[in-house]
Amino acid sequence: MAESKPSTPSPPVVRSNKPVSEALLNDKWDHAISSLLIRSSLGLSFGVIFSVLLFKRRAWPAFVGLGFGAGRAWEEADGTYKALQV
């Protein structure tokens, strides 16, 4: 039979001493940056697809898509920060 080791207690969870408002602000920044990356890359990919299919491989549709994605992420982040000010 196999010998079982006695279970050792797990170490306590270390909690950060940050104020709640700073933690909320960090979460908002994390969401804003991830949204910027995701939406910009989606806009860029749609721009590349339209560039290849419709615009004879010009570069401007890719940059327009990138700008639309970044702008949408900016507006979403701006809305979440303005909701905090109320």
Side-chain angles (χ1 to χ4, degrees):
M1 287 216 260
E3 246 181 73
S4 63
K5 295 181 181 178
S7 63
T8 59
S10 61
V13 176
V14 177
R15 305 236 183 230
S16 112
N17 292 331
K18 292 182 182 178
V20 176
S21 61
E22 187 176 342
L24 286 174
L25 192 60
N26 285 342
D27 289 342
K28 297 289 182 184
W29 269 107
D30 289 343
H31 181 72
I33 291 171
S34 66
S35 178
L36 177 73
L37 290 173
I38 291 169
R39 291 180 192 268
S40 295
S41 61
L42 282 174
L44 181 67
S45 63
F46 277 114
V48 167
I49 290 170
F50 282 123
S51 173
V52 169
L53 295 178
L54 299 175
F55 296 108
K56 299 179 184 178
R57 298 187 184 192
R58 306 252 185 213
W60 67 267
F63 290 119
V64 168
L66 179 72
F68 279 142
R72 179 67 183 116
W74 181 277
E75 286 298 316
E76 182 182 328
D78 191 40
T80 58
Y81 285 119
K82 283 186 179 179
L84 284 176
Q85 291 177 358
V86 172

